[in-house]
Amino acid sequence: MTRDALSPAQARRTALAAQGLGRPVAEAAGPRAVGARQLHGVVDRLGLLQIDSVNVFERSHHLPVFARLGHYDRDRLDELLFAPRGRYVEYWAHEAALLPVETWPLMRWRMDDHRARAEADPGSWLSANARTAAWLLDELRGEGPLPASLVEHDANRRTGPWWGWSDVKRGLEALFRVGALVSAGRRRFERVYALPEQVLPAELLAVEVGREEAHRQLLAHAARASGVATTADLADHWRMKTADVVPALHDLADQGVVTPVAVPGWPRGGWLHRDATFPRRIAADALLSPFDPVVWTRPRAERLFGFRYRIEIYTPQEKRVHGYYVLPVLQGDQLVARVDLKSDRQARVLRVQASWRERDLPVDVDRLAALLGRAARWQGLERVEVVDRGDLAAALRGAVGAGDVS
């Protein structure tokens, strides 16, 4: 079933359905626990999980999975995601992200672009530090995969006039961007670097995908994960340039993968994936990470939900409007509230440091309180405490009560 026009509400529900939101979720560990198949399924649907070091509530790559599956074992997910020769690898896809190893060859064009720019710029790290780069590659070739801290340890034992402060980390990252190095999992969340042949299957390294074909495949996945989206939305899924996206999208339209669709309020229309569905209702109930695909493209979040979202982690405290680590609250097919969450692991408390209504949308505070209770249990915390900040705080505190969440 395809359509050439969608109402804004239909577009919103189509987008959420494509993201796998609104399905029943696990409320606690038990006999119906979430397993590897479901965890892999979320990553396959989204195409990637963005990584971020902030851990005030939970690391960003865990949150999209909780939003879609409910209670699951975070350690089990990390075992799957960060296995040294596993199904996933890191790269700068949508910022720093984990993606299936099969997607890595589709990023070769980006690696080649980084290399070309570095070679053309005499001031780039790779151009100015060829000797250091060669040493780093030799070090990993001889010692095997290592995190930057251990490479730095070896470098300090072999001090030479060509070493500068932080050259190891800068060099490893420069080599990682051009594909000369890949990730081999993480240790205590520190990326482990390796030569591609130490981690990736030989048959994968032999795969060569041209730039245009890679763009088509990446955009096809972005369109499937988005359901309905503008050209700019699809470009941002993989942080691509619009000039690269337009011809690839027209190729996909010729193949019947996407079709043009009109949505009121979308000045240039959008693209509808052939597998998109059009649910009449979405029963979603989720906390969304700032780096969840539903909201990571801020103009798309504003267009779909009327939700203006700016992360305030790097904003001075006195200038923050909503809080430090603010998560949008999804109820049904609307973003109805925002909560600033902190996992106080020592006190075993999930602190709601601020809670805000979104415009004039109705908020089911009992439902939100129950969701926060599930989030606390998932975090291994014993209770939820609501701080008196925000226009939703009083009602939410009353719904949460003083009881534990066990």
Side-chain angles (χ1 to χ4, degrees):
M1 178 181 179
T2 60
R3 301 184 182 183
D4 57 11
L6 295 175
S7 71
Q10 288 170 329
R12 188 166 58 244
R13 292 192 295 268
T14 294
L16 290 171
Q19 282 284 302
L21 287 157
R23 301 179 177 188
V25 301
E27 298 195 5
R32 298 184 64 185
V34 170
R37 181 177 62 83
Q38 293 94 332
L39 296 173
H40 288 311
V42 171
V43 188
D44 291 343
R45 175 185 288 273
L46 302 184
L48 70 167
L49 290 176
Q50 188 171 334
I51 305 171
D52 190 81
S53 60
V54 176
N55 194 26
V56 63
F57 167 51
E58 181 52 82
R59 293 201 189 276
S60 65
H61 65 282
H62 285 153
L63 291 174
V65 182
F66 179 67
R68 288 153 180 82
L69 298 180
H71 196 111
Y72 72 92
D73 186 332
R74 291 166 291 159
D75 290 339
R76 178 59 175 146
L77 178 64
D78 283 350
E79 289 171 3
L80 298 175
L81 293 177
F82 298 121
R85 295 182 65 90
R87 290 176 55 166
Y88 303 100
V89 68
E90 290 182 39
Y91 191 62
W92 290 91
H94 181 100
E95 301 298 333
L98 288 152
L99 56 157
V101 293
E102 293 81 8
T103 307
W104 190 80
L106 302 182
M107 290 288 146
R108 267 294 183 190
W109 62 273
R110 176 165 290 163
M111 300 171 198
D112 292 343
D113 284 354
H114 283 309
R115 183 180 294 276
R117 283 194 293 270
E119 291 176 347
D121 178 8
S124 73
W125 191 94
L126 286 175
S127 292
N129 296 274
R131 188 178 175 188
T132 307
W135 185 90
L136 291 171
L137 294 172
D138 286 343
E139 177 75 359
L140 292 172
R141 189 174 292 111
E143 300 295 328
L146 292 171
S149 57
L150 292 184
V151 180
E152 286 173 337
H153 180 269
D154 282 355
N156 290 335
R157 290 191 294 109
R158 308 176 190 186
T159 301
W162 40 285
W163 286 110
W165 184 83
S166 78
D167 271 336
V168 166
K169 180 60 179 174
R170 291 175 62 197
L172 291 171
E173 186 56 28
L175 292 166
F176 177 77
R177 282 183 180 271
V178 302
L181 295 178
V182 298
S183 65
R186 285 188 173 234
R187 301 177 189 174
R188 293 181 293 278
F189 209 66
E190 182 183 11
R191 182 189 291 142
V192 177
Y193 295 89
L195 302 178
E197 59 268 25
Q198 293 171 330
V199 174
L200 301 179
E203 58 272 20
L204 188 74
L205 293 174
V207 173
E208 294 187 11
V209 184
R211 184 186 187 94
E212 291 76 16
E213 177 57 26
H215 291 166
R216 281 189 289 270
Q217 291 190 38
L218 290 170
L219 285 169
H221 198 126
R224 181 165 64 86
S226 302
V228 60
T230 66
T231 299
D233 296 340
L234 297 175
D236 191 63
H237 193 90
W238 300 103
R239 291 293 163 90
M240 298 168 67
K241 296 179 180 178
T242 303
D244 292 331
V245 165
V246 171
L249 278 174
H250 285 294
D251 287 347
L252 292 174
D254 291 342
Q255 297 167 18
V257 177
V258 296
T259 55
V261 64
V263 183
W266 295 21
R268 299 182 182 178
W271 298 94
L272 185 69
H273 192 268
R274 63 186 172 195
D275 296 335
T277 60
F278 313 102
R280 294 185 177 181
R281 179 175 178 270
I282 291 285
D285 192 21
L287 300 167
L288 299 182
S289 160
F291 311 110
D292 191 293
V294 172
V295 295
W296 70 14
T297 303
R298 308 307 190 210
R300 175 172 170 82
E302 195 159 352
R303 193 183 322 111
L304 282 172
F305 304 99
F307 189 87
R308 191 175 188 277
Y309 189 31
R310 300 294 183 270
I311 190 166
E312 299 180 85
I313 292 173
Y314 306 109
T315 302
Q317 183 173 356
E318 65 276 9
K319 295 184 178 180
R320 291 178 195 144
V321 176
H322 295 106
Y324 180 74
Y325 198 72
V326 176
L327 283 71
V329 176
L330 179 66
Q331 289 186 349
D333 65 356
Q334 291 280 12
L335 298 177
V336 300
R338 311 170 193 234
V339 289
D340 180 12
L341 297 185
K342 178 179 180 178
S343 291
D344 186 338
R345 297 170 180 91
Q346 185 172 357
R348 302 185 68 80
V349 172
L350 176 60
R351 300 195 189 281
V352 185
Q353 302 191 110
S355 45
W356 305 88
R357 299 177 183 274
E358 181 59 22
R359 306 188 311 280
D360 57 350
L361 297 174
V363 183
D364 187 332
V365 291
D366 291 328
R367 188 170 159 189
L368 175 54
L371 174 59
L372 292 169
R374 294 197 297 274
R377 289 193 295 274
W378 173 60
Q379 289 282 294
L381 306 175
E382 295 175 350
R383 65 186 189 278
V384 178
E385 291 185 359
V386 180
V387 175
D388 187 18
R389 180 169 184 250
D391 58 10
L392 186 59
L396 184 58
R397 187 168 57 250
V400 167
D404 62 34
V405 297
S406 59

